[in-house]
Amino acid sequence: MTGAIAMGFDGLSKKNCRLSCGGAFSLATIIPGDTCIDLGCGKGHDVMRMARVTGEKGHAFGIDLSRGMIETAKMNAEVMRAHNASFIQSTLEEITLEDDMADVVISNCTINHSLHQGQVWNEIFRILKPGGTFVVSDIYATEEVPEQYKTDPSAVAGCWAGAETKENYLAHIAKAGFVNISILEESAPYTKGCIRAASFTLQGKKPL
């Protein structure tokens, strides 16, 4: 994602809006003591929900490219006294977390923003522990998105600029090494910006 687009998300950090296209948290299985990560955490709402579930013996991390979002998330966590929640500014293509550290990774309508989605899935695989799971809600395009829209700020903010076809999206996940990949929810195609898209929520596991 370009710096100009990231600055656009900084502006959204102070507004009462959400960029999410789904509820990955509600479909993820989190138990006390888990280490959980939300990629594209925004203002940190799901991170704090994960922190409550995992409890004092666990930890929840929020990752976001936008400095404004991270600053807002930290303030929200302080107000909520979520002491086992941490927020890190990082790209998704090079996540600044250690290997094999997470039990659960979630994400809502974030991976489609990346121009290198295969690398994002490699990173998710890297940071998950063997046996760890992901639950990701995102969109896919019914056909290739025209090149001129892929870095257009309005299209990016609308969560469709980087949408890949369903076939390509699933191929990235499988190539990263995940198994037991399943679609938990899926919408009918709809018009989004200048394309036809569909929303889906996926689950998968890193092999033991």
Side-chain angles (χ1 to χ4, degrees):
M1 195 184 302
T2 67
I5 295 171
M7 289 176 63
F9 286 121
D10 281 342
L12 291 174
S13 67
K14 305 303 180 186
K15 298 181 180 180
N16 185 24
C17 63
R18 296 191 68 183
L19 300 179
S20 170
C21 67
F25 168 81
S26 64
L27 295 172
T29 300
I30 299 170
I31 62 175
D34 275 351
T35 298
C36 312
I37 300 171
D38 182 10
L39 300 181
C41 66
K43 300 175 187 179
H45 300 299
D46 279 347
V47 177
M48 287 178 279
R49 293 166 75 187
M50 292 193 298
R52 286 196 295 270
V53 175
T54 193
E56 293 181 1
K57 294 184 179 180
H59 204 91
F61 292 88
I63 305 297
D64 207 281
L65 178 64
S66 164
R67 179 176 298 175
M69 289 291 189
I70 291 296
E71 290 174 352
T72 300
K74 287 180 177 179
M75 288 189 291
N76 289 337
E78 185 174 352
V79 170
M80 298 298 295
R81 298 183 179 179
H83 303 302
N84 62 332
S86 300
F87 297 92
I88 300 170
Q89 184 182 6
S90 173
T91 68
L92 300 188
E93 294 84 3
E94 294 184 17
I95 301 169
T96 52
L97 290 173
E98 298 176 359
D99 297 355
D100 304 327
M101 65 168 293
D103 298 285
V104 180
V105 171
I106 70 167
S107 182
N108 288 302
C109 202
T110 296
I111 296 174
N112 74 78
H113 294 302
S114 174
L115 300 179
H116 305 283
Q117 293 179 30
Q119 180 59 28
V120 175
W121 283 104
N122 290 341
E123 284 290 275
I124 295 172
F125 190 88
R126 179 184 66 79
I127 63 178
L128 274 169
K129 298 175 182 177
T133 61
F134 73 80
V135 178
V136 167
S137 180
D138 213 341
I139 70 167
Y140 65 83
T142 58
E143 57 187 49
E144 292 288 340
V145 175
E147 193 67 31
Q148 67 265 32
Y149 294 115
K150 291 186 176 181
T151 56
D152 178 81
S154 296
V156 172
C159 294
W160 61 270
E164 297 213 17
T165 63
K166 183 177 182 179
E167 180 182 18
N168 287 345
Y169 201 108
L170 294 174
H172 289 314
I173 301 172
K175 187 175 181 181
F178 288 104
V179 297
N180 300 339
I181 302 163
S182 60
I183 297 175
L184 303 178
E185 295 181 344
E186 186 170 13
S187 76
Y190 53 88
T191 299
K192 193 167 182 68
C194 297
I195 67 167
R196 293 283 289 172
S199 302
F200 60 172
T201 302
L202 307 167
Q203 184 179 58
K205 184 175 182 179
K206 181 173 178 175
L208 290 170

